[in-house]
PDB file of all heavy atoms in Angstrom:
ATOM      1  N   PHE A 307      -4.814   1.813  -0.323  1.00 97.00           N
ATOM      2  CA  PHE A 307      -4.942   2.099   1.147  1.00 97.00           C
ATOM      3  C   PHE A 307      -6.059   1.331   1.794  1.00 97.00           C
ATOM      4  O   PHE A 307      -7.219   1.293   1.277  1.00 97.00           O
ATOM      5  CB  PHE A 307      -5.228   3.647   1.262  1.00 97.00           C
ATOM      6  CG  PHE A 307      -4.031   4.473   0.793  1.00 97.00           C
ATOM      7  CD1 PHE A 307      -4.200   5.097  -0.468  1.00 97.00           C
ATOM      8  CD2 PHE A 307      -2.945   4.695   1.596  1.00 97.00           C
ATOM      9  CE1 PHE A 307      -3.044   5.923  -0.940  1.00 97.00           C
ATOM     10  CE2 PHE A 307      -1.993   5.562   1.173  1.00 97.00           C
ATOM     11  CZ  PHE A 307      -2.024   6.099  -0.059  1.00 97.00           C
ATOM     12  N   TYR A 308      -5.865   0.705   2.933  1.00 97.00           N
ATOM     13  CA  TYR A 308      -6.830  -0.102   3.603  1.00 97.00           C
ATOM     14  C   TYR A 308      -6.623   0.198   5.035  1.00 97.00           C
ATOM     15  O   TYR A 308      -5.699  -0.192   5.737  1.00 97.00           O
ATOM     16  CB  TYR A 308      -6.555  -1.552   3.265  1.00 97.00           C
ATOM     17  CG  TYR A 308      -6.379  -1.931   1.906  1.00 97.00           C
ATOM     18  CD1 TYR A 308      -5.050  -1.796   1.293  1.00 97.00           C
ATOM     19  CD2 TYR A 308      -7.462  -2.139   1.074  1.00 97.00           C
ATOM     20  CE1 TYR A 308      -4.858  -2.121  -0.056  1.00 97.00           C
ATOM     21  CE2 TYR A 308      -7.190  -2.445  -0.309  1.00 97.00           C
ATOM     22  CZ  TYR A 308      -5.970  -2.402  -0.841  1.00 97.00           C
ATOM     23  OH  TYR A 308      -5.825  -2.656  -2.171  1.00 97.00           O
ATOM     24  N   LEU A 309      -7.641   0.894   5.681  1.00 97.00           N
ATOM     25  CA  LEU A 309      -7.528   1.460   7.000  1.00 97.00           C
ATOM     26  C   LEU A 309      -8.760   0.995   7.829  1.00 97.00           C
ATOM     27  O   LEU A 309      -9.869   1.049   7.435  1.00 97.00           O
ATOM     28  CB  LEU A 309      -7.470   2.917   6.968  1.00 97.00           C
ATOM     29  CG  LEU A 309      -6.371   3.571   6.092  1.00 97.00           C
ATOM     30  CD1 LEU A 309      -6.485   5.075   6.113  1.00 97.00           C
ATOM     31  CD2 LEU A 309      -5.006   3.153   6.575  1.00 97.00           C
ATOM     32  N   PRO A 310      -8.538   0.520   9.101  1.00 96.00           N
ATOM     33  CA  PRO A 310      -9.598   0.263   9.990  1.00 96.00           C
ATOM     34  C   PRO A 310     -10.194   1.557  10.592  1.00 96.00           C
ATOM     35  O   PRO A 310      -9.531   2.620  10.681  1.00 96.00           O
ATOM     36  CB  PRO A 310      -9.011  -0.596  11.067  1.00 96.00           C
ATOM     37  CG  PRO A 310      -7.588  -0.013  11.167  1.00 96.00           C
ATOM     38  CD  PRO A 310      -7.171   0.191   9.713  1.00 96.00           C
ATOM     39  N   THR A 311     -11.519   1.546  10.854  1.00 95.00           N
ATOM     40  CA  THR A 311     -12.160   2.709  11.424  1.00 95.00           C
ATOM     41  C   THR A 311     -12.658   2.297  12.836  1.00 95.00           C
ATOM     42  O   THR A 311     -12.761   1.157  13.241  1.00 95.00           O
ATOM     43  CB  THR A 311     -13.294   3.201  10.572  1.00 95.00           C
ATOM     44  OG1 THR A 311     -14.275   2.119  10.497  1.00 95.00           O
ATOM     45  CG2 THR A 311     -12.907   3.610   9.148  1.00 95.00           C
ATOM     46  N   ALA A 312     -13.004   3.435  13.651  1.00 92.00           N
ATOM     47  CA  ALA A 312     -13.296   3.023  15.061  1.00 92.00           C
ATOM     48  C   ALA A 312     -14.536   2.290  15.132  1.00 92.00           C
ATOM     49  O   ALA A 312     -14.768   1.547  16.261  1.00 92.00           O
ATOM     50  CB  ALA A 312     -13.560   4.436  15.692  1.00 92.00           C
ATOM     51  N   ASP A 313     -15.495   2.216  14.254  1.00 92.00           N
ATOM     52  CA  ASP A 313     -16.674   1.483  14.293  1.00 92.00           C
ATOM     53  C   ASP A 313     -16.512  -0.025  13.651  1.00 92.00           C
ATOM     54  O   ASP A 313     -17.519  -0.725  13.276  1.00 92.00           O
ATOM     55  CB  ASP A 313     -17.857   2.126  13.543  1.00 92.00           C
ATOM     56  CG  ASP A 313     -17.551   2.488  12.163  1.00 92.00           C
ATOM     57  OD1 ASP A 313     -16.419   2.180  11.690  1.00 92.00           O
ATOM     58  OD2 ASP A 313     -18.427   3.103  11.512  1.00 92.00           O
ATOM     59  N   ASN A 314     -15.174  -0.460  13.620  1.00 93.00           N
ATOM     60  CA  ASN A 314     -14.893  -1.729  13.026  1.00 93.00           C
ATOM     61  C   ASN A 314     -15.161  -1.835  11.582  1.00 93.00           C
ATOM     62  O   ASN A 314     -15.341  -2.881  10.978  1.00 93.00           O
ATOM     63  CB  ASN A 314     -15.569  -2.924  13.754  1.00 93.00           C
ATOM     64  CG  ASN A 314     -14.758  -4.126  13.888  1.00 93.00           C
ATOM     65  OD1 ASN A 314     -13.571  -4.096  13.900  1.00 93.00           O
ATOM     66  ND2 ASN A 314     -15.471  -5.284  13.896  1.00 93.00           N
ATOM     67  N   GLY A 315     -15.189  -0.710  10.959  1.00 95.00           N
ATOM     68  CA  GLY A 315     -15.441  -0.659   9.372  1.00 95.00           C
ATOM     69  C   GLY A 315     -14.029  -0.615   8.776  1.00 95.00           C
ATOM     70  O   GLY A 315     -12.946  -0.586   9.293  1.00 95.00           O
ATOM     71  N   LEU A 316     -14.092  -0.435   7.385  1.00 97.00           N
ATOM     72  CA  LEU A 316     -12.886  -0.462   6.509  1.00 97.00           C
ATOM     73  C   LEU A 316     -12.991   0.669   5.604  1.00 97.00           C
ATOM     74  O   LEU A 316     -13.992   0.940   4.904  1.00 97.00           O
ATOM     75  CB  LEU A 316     -12.865  -1.747   5.776  1.00 97.00           C
ATOM     76  CG  LEU A 316     -11.869  -1.859   4.669  1.00 97.00           C
ATOM     77  CD1 LEU A 316     -10.381  -1.733   5.280  1.00 97.00           C
ATOM     78  CD2 LEU A 316     -12.030  -3.108   3.863  1.00 97.00           C
ATOM     79  N   LEU A 317     -11.922   1.453   5.517  1.00 98.00           N
ATOM     80  CA  LEU A 317     -11.783   2.620   4.521  1.00 98.00           C
ATOM     81  C   LEU A 317     -10.722   2.214   3.569  1.00 98.00           C
ATOM     82  O   LEU A 317      -9.637   1.739   3.884  1.00 98.00           O
ATOM     83  CB  LEU A 317     -11.332   3.899   5.303  1.00 98.00           C
ATOM     84  CG  LEU A 317     -11.326   5.158   4.457  1.00 98.00           C
ATOM     85  CD1 LEU A 317     -12.835   5.564   4.224  1.00 98.00           C
ATOM     86  CD2 LEU A 317     -10.625   6.188   5.203  1.00 98.00           C
ATOM     87  N   VAL A 318     -11.165   2.297   2.241  1.00 98.00           N
ATOM     88  CA  VAL A 318     -10.368   1.906   1.125  1.00 98.00           C
ATOM     89  C   VAL A 318     -10.150   3.111   0.166  1.00 98.00           C
ATOM     90  O   VAL A 318     -11.055   3.820  -0.067  1.00 98.00           O
ATOM     91  CB  VAL A 318     -10.956   0.782   0.374  1.00 98.00           C
ATOM     92  CG1 VAL A 318     -10.147   0.302  -0.818  1.00 98.00           C
ATOM     93  CG2 VAL A 318     -11.240  -0.431   1.293  1.00 98.00           C
ATOM     94  N   GLY A 319      -8.982   3.252  -0.417  1.00 98.00           N
ATOM     95  CA  GLY A 319      -8.739   4.337  -1.354  1.00 98.00           C
ATOM     96  C   GLY A 319      -7.830   4.031  -2.416  1.00 98.00           C
ATOM     97  O   GLY A 319      -6.947   3.165  -2.244  1.00 98.00           O
ATOM     98  N   GLY A 320      -8.015   4.588  -3.605  1.00 97.00           N
ATOM     99  CA  GLY A 320      -7.257   4.424  -4.804  1.00 97.00           C
ATOM    100  C   GLY A 320      -7.873   4.831  -6.020  1.00 97.00           C
ATOM    101  O   GLY A 320      -8.258   6.024  -6.184  1.00 97.00           O
ATOM    102  N   GLY A 321      -7.988   3.931  -6.952  1.00 96.00           N
ATOM    103  CA  GLY A 321      -8.579   4.261  -8.264  1.00 96.00           C
ATOM    104  C   GLY A 321      -9.709   3.312  -8.658  1.00 96.00           C
ATOM    105  O   GLY A 321      -9.796   2.256  -8.136  1.00 96.00           O
ATOM    106  N   TYR A 322     -10.584   3.837  -9.662  1.00 95.00           N
ATOM    107  CA  TYR A 322     -11.632   3.015 -10.204  1.00 95.00           C
ATOM    108  C   TYR A 322     -11.735   3.340 -11.665  1.00 95.00           C
ATOM    109  O   TYR A 322     -11.572   4.459 -12.158  1.00 95.00           O
ATOM    110  CB  TYR A 322     -12.924   3.336  -9.508  1.00 95.00           C
ATOM    111  CG  TYR A 322     -14.043   2.501 -10.114  1.00 95.00           C
ATOM    112  CD1 TYR A 322     -14.293   1.211  -9.735  1.00 95.00           C
ATOM    113  CD2 TYR A 322     -14.896   3.097 -11.026  1.00 95.00           C
ATOM    114  CE1 TYR A 322     -15.304   0.473 -10.286  1.00 95.00           C
ATOM    115  CE2 TYR A 322     -15.973   2.340 -11.540  1.00 95.00           C
ATOM    116  CZ  TYR A 322     -16.176   1.057 -11.152  1.00 95.00           C
ATOM    117  OH  TYR A 322     -17.222   0.248 -11.757  1.00 95.00           O
ATOM    118  N   GLY A 323     -11.899   2.281 -12.485  1.00 92.00           N
ATOM    119  CA  GLY A 323     -12.140   2.498 -13.844  1.00 92.00           C
ATOM    120  C   GLY A 323     -11.640   1.346 -14.733  1.00 92.00           C
ATOM    121  O   GLY A 323     -11.289   0.325 -14.195  1.00 92.00           O
ATOM    122  N   PRO A 324     -11.556   1.480 -16.122  1.00 87.00           N
ATOM    123  CA  PRO A 324     -11.109   0.490 -16.942  1.00 87.00           C
ATOM    124  C   PRO A 324      -9.600   0.517 -17.049  1.00 87.00           C
ATOM    125  O   PRO A 324      -9.071  -0.371 -17.725  1.00 87.00           O
ATOM    126  CB  PRO A 324     -11.803   0.697 -18.202  1.00 87.00           C
ATOM    127  CG  PRO A 324     -12.061   2.131 -18.231  1.00 87.00           C
ATOM    128  CD  PRO A 324     -12.236   2.547 -16.832  1.00 87.00           C
ATOM    129  N   ASP A 325      -8.930   1.513 -16.507  1.00 86.00           N
ATOM    130  CA  ASP A 325      -7.510   1.734 -16.585  1.00 86.00           C
ATOM    131  C   ASP A 325      -7.255   2.574 -17.931  1.00 86.00           C
ATOM    132  O   ASP A 325      -7.437   1.999 -19.045  1.00 86.00           O
ATOM    133  CB  ASP A 325      -6.618   0.520 -16.595  1.00 86.00           C
ATOM    134  CG  ASP A 325      -5.112   0.790 -16.392  1.00 86.00           C
ATOM    135  OD1 ASP A 325      -4.777   2.066 -16.292  1.00 86.00           O
ATOM    136  OD2 ASP A 325      -4.371  -0.113 -16.385  1.00 86.00           O
TER     137      ASP A 325
END
Side-chain angles (χ1 to χ4, degrees):
F307 295 102
Y308 311 91
L309 305 174
T311 59
D313 57 358
N314 213 30
L316 171 63
L317 188 70
V318 180
Y322 178 81
D325 192 2

